[in-house]
């Protein structure tokens, strides 16, 4: 089982189907023999394969199975990692109340076991959530904390992910100069470090940037690069998000048939993935397309479907929950940062001696 899991890990970015085959074999063996240690390893691999593919529902299914075993084993170090993985999937799905619960739990546990890398990842996930909710005042301090904790935890890939999401955050704020700076930094770092899972996501974001600034040719070129790389990992979620970006460009170019056909295909894929935020965005594009063509009845129907989809997420109360816990979170983050600073000082003093 360990060998099969090692092969899965080695092939996960180069040959997704082969990696999935070995992961399935490991899972069958683990469940056949009812070995908890093996099931924990197999569930983890299956969850990550789901995340790589953008199938966050399947990832959550396996991660939740994994949590039950880890809780029974009382393995705090492993628990904060799994909680982070669950929180990340909920952030990607736009289900922020669930995301907030798991990410903050991960941070609390990571603080207790002094796992700075997991704490940094938790802060990163929290920052991304705040950014998507339009709260840059909360997002930026968490990105800063994430960067400090990742450095303390020697997470060498952390800066690439941080710069990417900072670029996305500034893009949502329409601060295009800052967005460009961080996104191209993320692209350079992710390529240099060979983070193949991140590169297409950065391409997609740069496509969004050029779409926002009106350079449609560059936008479509970056979208095509993103789709090419997403398809290598069979990332259906990533392909669908990027195709919807192309549909928005076609809409700006008044290519209504192309925009509608692409948005309808994305709507179908988003529904199959049970990705409600993405599905809502598909309905919004279809509504704008219908409105621009003068079909106001169809536009009204699509807008209602978009609103119903958003309402189903029950994210309305998440910010009140955030404000209730934010003071405590800030105190905990400050404690970790002070501890990191003490560690650096102690190491410096020992080197001097």
């Amino acid at each position: 089982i360990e060998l099969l899991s090692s092969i899965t890990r080695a092939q996960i970015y180069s040959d997704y189907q082969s990696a999935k085959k070995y992961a399935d074999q490991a899972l069958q063996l683990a469940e056949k023999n009812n070995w908890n240690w093996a099931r924990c390893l197999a569930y983890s691999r299956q969850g990550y394969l789901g995340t790589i593919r953008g199938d966050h529902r399947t990832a959550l299914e396996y991660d939740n199975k994994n949590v039950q075993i880890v809780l029974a084993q009382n393995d705090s170090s492993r628990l904060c990692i799994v909680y982070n993985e669950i929180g990340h999937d909920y952030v990607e799905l736009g289900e922020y109340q669930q995301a907030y619960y798991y990410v903050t739990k991960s941070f609390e546990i990571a603080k207790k076991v002094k796992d700075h890398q997991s704490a940094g990842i938790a802060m990163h996930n929290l920052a991304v959530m705040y950014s998507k909710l339009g709260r840059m005042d909360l997002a930026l301090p968490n990105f800063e904390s994430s960067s400090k904790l990742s450095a303390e935890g020697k997470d060498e890939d952390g800066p690439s992910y941080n710069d990417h999401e900072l670029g996305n955050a500034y893009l949502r704020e329409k601060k295009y100069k800052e967005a460009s700076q961080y996104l191209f930094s993320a692209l350079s770092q992710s390529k240099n470090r060979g983070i193949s899972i991140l590169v297409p996501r950065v391409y997609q974001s740069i496509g969004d940037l050029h779409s926002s600034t009106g350079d449609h040719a560059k936008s479509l070129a970056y979208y095509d690069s993103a789709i090419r790389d997403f398809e290598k990992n069979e990332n259906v979620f990533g392909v669908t998000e990027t195709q919807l970006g192309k549909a928005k460009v076609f809409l700006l170019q008044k290519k209504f048939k192309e925009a509608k056909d692409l948005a309808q295909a994305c709507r179908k894929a988003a529904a199959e993935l049970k990705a409600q935020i993405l599905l809502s965005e598909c309905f919004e594009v279809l509504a704008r397309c219908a409105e621009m063509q003068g079909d106001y009845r169809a536009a009204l129907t699509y807008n209602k479907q978009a609103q119903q989809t958003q309402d189903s997420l029950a994210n309305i109360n998440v910010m009140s929950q955030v404000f209730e816990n934010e003071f405590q979170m800030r105190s905990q983050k400050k404690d970790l940062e002070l501890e990191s600073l003490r560690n650096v000082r102690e190491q410096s003093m020992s080197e001097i001696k």
Side-chain angles (χ1 to χ4, degrees):
I1 289 171
E2 288 181 343
L3 177 60
L4 290 169
S5 293
S6 296
I7 296 172
T8 299
R9 186 173 184 176
Q11 296 189 338
I12 203 164
Y13 299 121
S14 59
D15 188 344
Y16 182 90
Q17 283 301 325
S18 178
K20 184 70 170 69
K21 180 183 73 174
Y22 288 115
D24 288 346
Q25 289 177 16
L27 179 61
Q28 288 170 6
L29 278 172
E31 292 191 327
K32 180 181 178 181
N33 291 283
N34 198 27
W35 293 329
N36 275 346
W37 68 268
R39 286 196 297 169
C40 191
L41 187 58
Y43 291 154
S44 178
R45 288 286 182 266
Q46 291 287 350
Y48 192 60
L49 282 164
T51 298
I52 291 289
R53 189 174 180 269
D55 187 354
H56 299 290
R57 294 293 176 194
T58 297
L60 284 169
E61 177 187 336
Y62 284 108
D63 286 336
N64 280 312
K65 288 181 178 181
N66 201 6
V67 161
Q68 300 308 311
I69 298 172
V70 174
L71 282 170
Q73 293 172 336
N74 198 27
D75 185 346
S76 296
S77 297
R78 181 63 194 155
L79 188 60
C80 63
I81 294 171
V82 181
Y83 275 169
N84 256 335
E85 291 166 349
I86 293 174
H88 166 76
D89 284 314
Y90 277 127
V91 169
E92 290 298 301
L93 288 168
E95 298 180 18
Y96 300 129
Q97 262 187 311
Q98 295 93 327
Y100 186 77
Y101 172 81
Y102 283 104
V103 170
T104 52
K105 283 291 182 186
S106 176
F107 179 80
E108 289 169 8
I109 297 167
K111 181 177 180 293
K112 288 178 183 176
V113 299
K114 299 182 179 180
D115 182 346
H116 292 93
Q117 183 172 345
S118 290
I121 293 169
M123 288 298 96
H124 174 82
N125 287 332
L126 201 59
V128 173
M129 188 194 82
Y130 288 148
S131 171
K132 289 186 175 184
L133 285 166
R135 294 302 307 262
M136 281 291 281
D137 58 321
L138 296 175
L140 289 176
N142 280 282
F143 277 126
E144 185 179 351
S145 295
S146 172
S147 180
K148 290 177 181 177
L149 291 168
S150 293
E152 177 68 18
K154 296 181 173 56
D155 181 3
E156 295 181 351
D157 290 343
S160 304
Y161 286 95
N162 241 33
D163 280 2
H164 173 232
E165 290 298 350
L166 272 166
N168 283 336
Y170 282 115
L171 182 55
R172 293 185 189 102
E173 294 286 299
K174 295 182 170 52
K175 295 182 178 179
Y176 301 127
K177 181 179 178 181
E178 294 89 340
S180 178
Q181 174 189 337
Y182 280 107
L183 289 176
F184 280 100
S185 171
L187 184 62
S188 175
Q189 290 181 80
S190 57
K191 283 185 173 181
N192 289 339
R193 291 200 53 77
I195 313 173
S196 59
I197 186 176
L198 181 59
V199 172
R201 291 171 60 189
V202 182
Y203 281 147
Q204 179 192 356
S205 297
I206 295 174
D208 292 341
L209 172 65
H210 286 303
S211 175
S212 298
T213 55
D215 194 335
H216 298 155
K218 282 187 178 179
S219 177
L220 292 172
Y222 274 103
Y223 283 149
D224 286 338
S225 294
I227 290 167
R228 180 199 64 216
D229 284 3
F230 277 134
E231 286 177 341
K232 289 178 183 176
N233 291 328
E234 301 190 19
N235 189 329
V236 180
F237 189 95
V239 169
T240 304
E241 263 195 328
T242 310
Q243 293 283 28
L244 190 62
K246 290 183 70 173
K248 293 175 184 178
V249 173
F250 290 147
L251 202 56
L252 293 169
Q253 294 176 327
K254 297 185 178 180
K255 296 179 179 179
F256 299 122
K257 185 181 185 307
E258 292 91 334
K260 183 178 180 180
D261 289 348
L262 206 49
Q264 287 286 20
C266 291
R267 180 195 61 77
K268 182 179 179 182
E272 289 175 354
L273 289 166
K274 298 180 182 177
Q276 299 299 87
I277 285 286
L278 184 54
L279 180 59
S280 176
E281 289 177 3
C282 293
F283 285 132
E284 288 172 356
V285 171
L286 288 165
R288 287 203 300 274
C289 187
E291 186 177 349
M292 289 174 73
Q293 291 180 287
D295 190 347
Y296 300 111
R297 180 175 293 181
L300 180 61
T301 300
Y302 285 129
N303 274 320
K304 283 183 178 178
Q305 289 175 308
Q307 189 60 54
Q308 288 168 356
T309 306
Q310 289 175 15
D311 290 345
S312 71
L313 291 171
N315 281 326
I316 298 170
N317 297 323
V318 69
M319 288 314 298
S320 62
Q321 181 185 356
V322 166
F323 286 123
E324 287 176 12
N325 297 332
E326 184 60 20
F327 180 78
Q328 182 182 358
M329 286 291 293
R330 285 180 182 176
S331 176
Q332 291 177 339
K333 281 183 283 184
K334 186 59 66 178
D335 288 345
L336 258 185
E337 289 171 14
L338 288 171
E339 183 184 327
S340 297
L341 185 59
R342 281 197 299 270
N343 290 340
V344 170
R345 285 176 176 170
E346 287 172 5
Q347 185 176 351
S348 298
M349 290 298 293
S350 65
E351 288 174 357
I352 292 170
K353 290 177 182 178

